[in-house]
Amino acid sequence: MDEFSKYRSPLVSRYASKEMAYNFSDRKKFTTWRKLWIYLAKAEKALGLLVTDAQVTEMESHAEDIDFAMAAEEESKLRHDVMAHVHTFAHCCPTAAPIIHLGATSCYVGDNTDLILLRDGFDILLPKYSVKLCANLLKMSAKVEQLARVIDRLSNFAEKYAGLPTLGFTHYQPAQLTTVGKRACLWLQDLAMDMRNLQRAREDLRFRGVKGTTGTQASFLQLFQGDHDKVEDLDRMVTEMAGFKKAYMVTGQTYSRKVDIDSLSHLASMGATIHKICTDIRLLANLKEIEEPFEKEQIGSSAMAYKRNPMRCERCCSLARHLIALLADPLQTASVQWLERTLDDSANRRISLPESFLTADIILSTLQNITEGLVVYPKVIERHIRHELPFMATENIIMAMVKAGGNRQDCHEKIRVLSQQAANVVKQEGGDNDLLARVQADPYFAPILGHLDNILDPKTFIGRAPQQVARFLSEEVRPLLEPYKAEIDVKFELEL
C-alpha cells in the first residue's frame, strides 16, 4: 500500500516544518531510547557495576541503525514496545545485550524521551536555536518557525505605523480613533506574554531520571547493594548526560502528568492569541484596510475570480481552535492517573503531545509569513475616518464654541439636532455623513469655522498612541528579543 492509500495527518504531510516533524518522528524517538540506554550503561559502569568498555562501545556504534521492521515484528509478538526495542537493540549488540535496560523500567526510556521531545519542541518554537539542537535535528537548515521572529516583524510594523490614525472599534462599532501601530501593540503584548510563558515552561522542565518501577529506585538500590549515594549519583549523571540541570525528586512510575498540562496550556494560550490576531486581520481585510500577503498567481476563489480571501489567517484560526481543544487531553489524563500510574495515559499522549507542538509550529510559521507581508491601505483608512469623524468630533466642536464665548447647553442642542439629521441621511438614505456640512452651513457656528480643519485633524484624536507604541517597544519588546538577534532575520516562505 503506497502512502496515498492510507490516512496521512495533514499536520505533517501538509503543514509542519521539517524540524518539528522530525522531533516527533519514530527515528528521533527510538534513537533517543538507545541514547538513554547508553547513558545508563555509562553511568552504571562509572559507578562500579559490571559494564565493560566494549559493551558501551558496541551500543554507541549501533545507536542510529535501527531495524524498524524487526522492532515491529517483535512488538507484534510481545505486545510491548519497549521490550521490542530492547530485543532489537540487543540483536545488533550481542556483547551488550545482558546489560541493556539494566535496572530500568519502561518509563525510563518512555517518559525521559517525552521530556526531551518537549524540551526540543520548545527550542524549535522559541528563538534560541542552539548549535547542539541543530546537530540533534540531523543538521537541518535553521528554517525554524519562531515566536521571536513574529514579534520582531510585528514590532517593526507597529513602529512604522505608530502615528497612522485609524478607527478604533468596540463591540465592532466605530469608536474613538487609535493608530494602526497601537493596535498592533495589543497583539504584541499578548505574544510577549506567550513568549515569556513558553520560556518559563521550557526552563521548568526536568528529567524523570532513573527512578525504577514505582519511583522508589528500589531496583537501583539493590544493584548498588544498598549504597544510597551511588543511586543518587546515577540519577544525577544520567540527568546531566541527557542535557537537563535537574530531575524530578519524586515520581511515581511516570513523571507527574501535570507537567504535560503546564506545557500544553501555554501552547493553547498562544493559540488563543494567534486566533485573536488573525481574526482581527480578517475583519480589517473585510474593510479593505489591511490585508495579508497575496501571491501573484494565488487564486482566492474557484468561482469568484476577483476575491482575495484571507486564507492564511483562516488557516491559523482553524488550527488554533484545534490547538486549544487539545488542552482537554492532558487535563483529563492527569486527573485520572491512579496512584503510581495507569496506562490509559499512553495512547492519548502519543497523539496530544506531538499534535500540540506540530500545530503550534504551523500557526507560528504561518503567522510569521503573514506579518512579513501585511499590506496597509492608508487611503481606505482615511476614508473610513472621514465617514465617522464628524460624529466623534462633536465634543471638540462644543468645547471650541464655549472657548469662543458660546453657551455649552445651546451648542449641545444644536449638535444633537444636526447629528440626528446627518445620521438619518446615512441610515435611511444611504448617503454620506454630512454633519460637517450642516455645521458649516449653520450661522451659529460662524465663530469657529476657521478652526474646523484643526478641530477635525485625525491626529488630534489619537491621544498618546504614538508615544505608547514607542515606549512599549523600547521597554518591553526590544529587550525580550535581544538574546535572539542573530536568529531573527530568517524569513519564512509559505509552501501551501
Side-chain angles (χ1 to χ4, degrees):
M1 180 182 293
D2 64 60
E3 63 175 317
F4 299 104
S5 300
K6 56 186 178 181
Y7 175 76
R8 299 183 303 159
S9 170
L11 291 178
V12 174
S13 66
R14 189 173 177 87
Y15 299 128
S17 69
K18 293 177 182 178
E19 292 81 8
M20 192 64 82
Y22 173 73
N23 189 55
F24 288 98
S25 68
D26 283 350
R27 185 167 297 281
K28 171 74 178 287
K29 174 180 178 178
F30 295 124
T31 55
T32 302
W33 282 14
R34 290 193 174 186
K35 290 174 184 176
L36 287 168
W37 283 320
I38 293 168
Y39 299 155
L40 182 62
K42 283 184 173 181
E44 289 174 337
K45 176 183 178 297
L47 292 168
L49 293 188
L50 293 177
V51 177
T52 67
D53 288 335
Q55 288 172 319
V56 171
T57 300
E58 185 181 53
M59 292 170 71
E60 289 178 326
S61 68
H62 292 284
E64 305 284 345
D65 57 337
I66 299 174
D67 188 336
F68 287 99
M70 177 182 288
E73 184 178 349
E74 288 288 325
E75 187 172 356
S76 69
K77 293 187 298 184
L78 303 175
R79 297 297 177 185
H80 196 290
D81 57 349
V82 173
M83 286 308 299
H85 277 270
V86 168
H87 288 191
T88 302
F89 198 15
H91 178 78
C92 59
C93 298
T95 303
I99 56 92
I100 293 173
H101 200 64
L102 181 60
T105 187
S106 297
C107 285
Y108 168 69
V109 289
D111 271 34
N112 282 325
T113 292
D114 286 342
L115 290 163
I116 289 171
L117 300 186
L118 294 181
R119 178 196 65 192
D120 291 354
F122 280 125
D123 284 341
I124 293 171
L125 296 177
L126 287 165
K128 195 167 186 179
Y129 188 64
S130 67
V131 174
K132 180 178 179 182
L133 179 61
C134 191
N136 288 342
L137 296 178
L138 294 181
K139 299 182 180 178
M140 294 177 178
S141 67
K143 178 190 165 190
V144 181
E145 295 72 35
Q146 296 174 346
L147 183 51
R149 290 181 187 151
V150 174
I151 293 174
D152 175 71
R153 301 328 185 242
L154 265 183
S155 63
N156 294 336
F157 178 87
E159 187 173 43
K160 180 177 180 180
Y161 294 104
L164 180 61
T166 189
L167 281 176
F169 288 91
T170 57
H171 314 275
Y172 201 47
Q173 302 299 312
Q176 191 175 42
L177 300 191
T178 182
T179 69
V180 172
K182 171 62 189 298
R183 178 177 285 142
C185 285
L186 300 180
W187 304 336
L188 276 167
Q189 181 166 247
D190 289 350
L191 288 169
M193 291 174 62
D194 293 322
M195 187 166 176
R196 286 189 288 267
N197 287 337
L198 294 186
Q199 288 171 332
R200 185 199 60 75
R202 192 257 187 249
E203 292 303 315
D204 281 354
L205 281 176
R206 298 187 184 187
F207 203 52
R208 177 191 175 274
V210 287
K211 297 296 195 296
T213 55
T214 58
T216 65
Q217 298 177 308
S219 59
F220 297 104
L221 190 62
Q222 184 176 2
L223 281 173
F224 288 106
Q225 300 179 336
D227 191 328
H228 291 267
D229 290 337
K230 284 191 175 183
V231 174
E232 290 198 1
D233 287 342
L234 179 73
D235 202 1
R236 175 185 53 78
M237 290 170 67
V238 173
T239 296
E240 291 174 356
M241 289 181 197
F244 286 81
K245 296 177 181 177
K246 292 182 178 179
Y248 296 108
M249 293 184 68
V250 294
T251 71
Q253 188 172 91
T254 69
Y255 67 81
S256 170
R257 296 312 183 213
K258 287 279 286 185
V259 175
D260 296 343
I261 295 175
D262 191 45
S263 296
L264 269 58
S265 65
H266 293 312
L267 297 182
S269 179
M270 185 181 70
T273 296
I274 293 176
H275 197 298
K276 185 265 192 293
I277 293 171
C278 290
T279 299
D280 284 355
I281 295 172
R282 291 165 65 191
L283 292 170
L284 295 169
N286 174 259
L287 298 175
K288 297 179 174 58
E289 293 189 356
I290 292 179
E291 287 182 341
E292 66 176 37
F294 197 87
E295 307 298 334
K296 183 178 180 181
E297 297 183 5
Q298 182 176 331
I299 295 174
S301 167
S302 62
M304 295 166 281
Y306 63 88
K307 293 196 75 178
R308 290 171 63 105
N309 297 331
M311 68 89 172
R312 291 167 170 84
C313 287
E314 290 172 316
R315 178 185 299 174
C316 282
C317 290
S318 179
L319 290 173
R321 292 198 303 274
H322 179 59
L323 179 56
I324 294 166
L326 284 169
L327 179 57
D329 283 337
L331 286 168
Q332 295 186 60
T333 295
S335 71
V336 299
Q337 287 301 287
W338 300 351
L339 306 173
E340 277 65 51
R341 83 87 52 102
T342 54
L343 195 59
D344 60 352
D345 63 340
S346 178
N348 185 291
R349 295 174 70 252
R350 288 174 191 262
I351 298 169
S352 61
L353 296 186
E355 286 203 357
S356 292
F357 277 86
L358 287 163
T359 306
D361 175 61
I362 294 161
I363 60 176
L364 265 182
S365 64
T366 307
L367 185 59
Q368 180 184 336
N369 177 262
I370 293 168
T371 56
E372 286 175 348
L374 279 176
V375 181
V376 177
Y377 297 104
K379 293 298 182 183
V380 177
I381 294 172
E382 183 182 343
R383 184 173 75 244
H384 291 158
I385 291 174
R386 287 201 308 269
H387 186 73
E388 299 291 344
L389 191 60
F391 290 143
M392 299 177 189
T394 53
E395 184 68 16
N396 289 22
I397 292 173
I398 292 173
M399 294 300 100
M401 280 297 297
V402 171
K403 289 179 181 178
N407 180 286
R408 193 264 177 197
Q409 285 22 279
D410 292 342
C411 185
H412 184 278
E413 178 61 17
K414 284 279 188 181
I415 289 292
R416 185 189 68 81
V417 172
L418 295 180
S419 295
Q420 290 183 356
Q421 292 171 352
N424 187 65
V425 170
V426 172
K427 296 176 181 179
Q428 301 297 331
E429 302 175 17
D432 292 332
N433 186 339
D434 63 357
L435 175 58
L436 183 57
R438 293 175 184 274
V439 169
Q440 291 171 326
D442 192 321
Y444 175 81
F445 295 99
I448 65 167
L449 290 184
H451 305 291
L452 272 182
D453 286 345
N454 291 332
I455 293 173
L456 294 170
D457 181 357
K459 290 187 180 295
T460 66
F461 290 83
I462 60 175
R464 298 189 63 255
Q467 291 75 24
Q468 289 178 342
V469 171
R471 184 181 176 191
F472 175 66
L473 295 180
S474 173
E475 295 185 15
E476 294 203 23
V477 177
R478 301 301 185 198
L480 192 64
L481 297 177
E482 187 63 29
Y484 314 113
K485 288 176 66 175
E487 293 84 19
I488 278 176
D489 291 336
V490 177
K491 285 195 172 185
F492 178 77
E493 299 293 337
L494 200 65
E495 295 179 3
L496 285 173

